[in-house]
Amino acid sequence: MAAPPEDDAPPSYEAAPAHGAAPAHGAAPDHGAPTRSVAIHHVRASLRGAERHGADITALLEQAAIPPRLLEVPLARVSPRQFARLTKAVWQALDDELQGLGPQPLKVGTFAMMCHAVVHRSPDLRSALERGSAFYRLFPGGPRFHLEEKPADEGLAEEKAAEGTHEARVVFDLTAFDDPDHYLAESATVVTHRFAGWLIRSRINLIRVEFSHPAPRHVLEYDLLYGAPCSFRAPRTALVFDRAILDRPVLQDEAELRAFLRRAPGDVLARLDYGSTAAAQVRRLLGQSLPDRMPDPQAVAARLAMSAQTLRRRLAAEGTSFQRIRDQLRRDVAIAALATGTVSIEDISQRLGFSEPSAFHRAFKRWTGSAPRSYQPGG
């Protein structure tokens, strides 16, 4: 699934809501969850279809204010705003929401029409997902997905089954797509997850996410995207969650839908959706501290009601560390600030807790492979 890109909304330097949509009326806001930067892998993957169709890649990058040289820097990243502009540029160039990766183009505006059909005609999430699936089946080149409901384990003991432990899954069939980077698989699952949560004004905690493709090099970013365990080389690509969520009512209206469509897709694809992993909880707490000084490991551990040693063990089991999470967060905030061209390097350095700009310069080059100035407009 793809969505119309956000307009040139002002970027956020400080913490921003975690959901693709801002908290709707009656929804609890998620204060302090920062936007994440977008890996250069996704920039290259989003351009693959445009390249096949002979589009001017340099011109597309310039429209998004992304220096073309960053494509050759493995550690490079871009801000969510830049990525949204690039998506918009590719759609306009190809008139295709699938960005040239599908068997047939899907004209710009298709996702918006699906959203209107779903919001106005669906009493609950179950019917919304079924209606969305039926909508896309009208288009030969559209993404294919369907809803499945079944017990979490067909072999559950009777007493366990009686407790109502059930799973639902949205299963995707993207076999018709020429997508070697698995870009559409990631986009379809993320947008579907965020859109479903937006419909019911509540984050949907995923039980797990299954992918038919092998684990990619950027697999560590999946925890930020989904906040749930991910498995690879599965029989099918699917989002798995509690079946009871399907009964929740659709709570959005026309006005909220217009706002949602203005913010998508970059906002939806690039914002974190925190889960229950230790790494996700640490990043959330660190993000909530900005723009003030970030707490140390002991303070974060105390907030999570555990010892610093236990937190360190849990992060290690998840393949990360406190320092790594803190550096990733500071990197993402710095990239977003630099891309605006309105915040000085000295100011960013100070706000992120560096003793002097030279220390920030060294850290930023270690994180991204480039100097901070190269991320500023005209840098």
Side-chain angles (χ1 to χ4, degrees):
M1 296 169 70
E6 63 176 314
D7 297 327
D8 290 340
S12 172
Y13 168 62
E14 296 179 4
H19 252 294
H25 303 309
D30 190 359
H31 298 295
T35 58
R36 74 175 185 94
S37 60
V38 181
I40 203 67
H41 158 82
H42 292 103
V43 174
R44 288 195 295 260
S46 71
L47 291 169
R48 185 180 289 273
E51 275 186 305
R52 292 175 185 162
H53 288 78
D56 186 337
I57 300 303
T58 300
L60 293 173
L61 290 168
E62 288 175 349
Q63 289 182 57
I66 298 175
R69 63 179 177 276
L70 291 185
L71 292 180
E72 308 304 321
V73 182
L75 295 178
R77 305 181 75 88
V78 301
S79 72
R81 187 186 190 193
Q82 290 171 306
F83 189 65
R85 285 181 170 179
L86 178 63
T87 303
K88 182 176 182 178
V90 173
W91 284 349
Q92 290 177 338
L94 303 181
D95 191 19
D96 181 9
E97 290 185 354
L98 299 176
Q99 297 178 246
L101 298 172
Q104 295 183 32
L106 198 65
K107 292 181 72 65
V108 173
T110 303
F111 177 84
M113 290 304 298
M114 185 278 295
C115 290
H116 283 283
V118 164
V119 167
H120 295 305
R121 298 288 182 178
S122 305
D124 54 34
L125 184 58
R126 178 183 288 101
S127 60
L129 292 171
E130 291 174 343
R131 188 175 293 275
S133 173
F135 179 91
Y136 276 113
R137 287 199 298 271
L138 298 173
F139 301 89
R144 296 289 182 265
F145 64 94
H146 67 273
L147 181 64
E148 290 184 357
E149 302 179 54
K150 68 173 186 177
D153 185 341
E154 301 292 355
L156 282 176
E158 290 184 9
E159 64 273 13
K160 189 68 176 177
E163 295 176 4
T165 304
H166 284 73
E167 288 182 350
R169 61 176 60 200
V170 179
V171 180
F172 298 84
D173 180 4
L174 303 173
T175 54
F177 294 78
D178 187 4
D179 183 26
D181 301 305
H182 315 300
Y183 175 71
L184 287 181
E186 295 169 356
S187 299
T189 49
V190 168
V191 172
T192 301
H193 179 216
R194 303 294 196 273
F195 180 58
W198 175 82
L199 284 171
I200 62 174
R201 295 183 184 176
S202 176
R203 176 180 291 121
I204 296 176
N205 292 321
L206 296 170
I207 297 173
R208 64 183 177 279
V209 187
E210 301 168 352
F211 293 98
S212 59
H213 60 259
R217 286 187 175 182
H218 57 283
V219 66
L220 291 179
E221 304 219 5
Y222 277 47
D223 182 63
L224 299 179
L225 287 173
Y226 304 102
C230 295
S231 61
F232 300 91
R233 298 188 184 276
R236 299 176 297 178
T237 294
L239 298 169
V240 185
F241 52 94
D242 187 342
R243 181 181 176 184
I245 295 173
L246 295 173
D247 296 321
R248 295 189 185 180
V250 171
L251 299 174
Q252 301 294 356
D253 57 22
E254 180 70 25
E256 294 293 342
L257 176 58
R258 286 196 299 269
F260 174 81
L261 293 175
R262 281 197 303 270
R263 284 187 292 265
D267 195 63
V268 177
L269 293 174
R271 292 193 187 277
L272 308 180
D273 194 76
Y274 291 106
S276 58
T277 64
Q281 293 179 72
V282 169
R283 178 156 177 146
R284 179 170 61 245
L285 290 175
L286 291 177
Q288 289 171 348
S289 71
L290 294 173
D292 299 324
R293 186 178 183 85
M294 290 185 187
D296 60 22
Q298 289 74 24
V300 170
R303 289 282 303 276
L304 297 176
M306 64 179 73
S307 68
Q309 185 177 9
T310 298
L311 176 60
R312 185 167 55 252
R313 284 200 305 267
R314 291 190 180 182
L315 292 176
E318 294 172 11
T320 189
S321 67
F322 186 91
Q323 182 65 43
R324 183 171 187 172
I325 295 168
R326 187 177 69 168
D327 283 348
Q328 288 173 342
L329 180 59
R330 293 199 293 183
R331 175 201 65 195
D332 293 349
V333 171
I335 288 172
L338 290 166
T340 69
T342 61
V343 186
S344 70
I345 292 175
E346 290 73 18
D347 191 24
I348 297 171
S349 170
Q350 182 179 9
R351 295 189 190 186
L352 292 180
F354 287 91
S355 58
E356 55 186 10
S358 61
F360 170 66
H361 274 263
R362 291 192 297 272
F364 191 86
K365 191 163 187 178
R366 185 174 70 251
W367 298 334
T368 68
S370 301
R373 198 166 302 282
S374 66
Y375 277 73
Q376 294 177 311

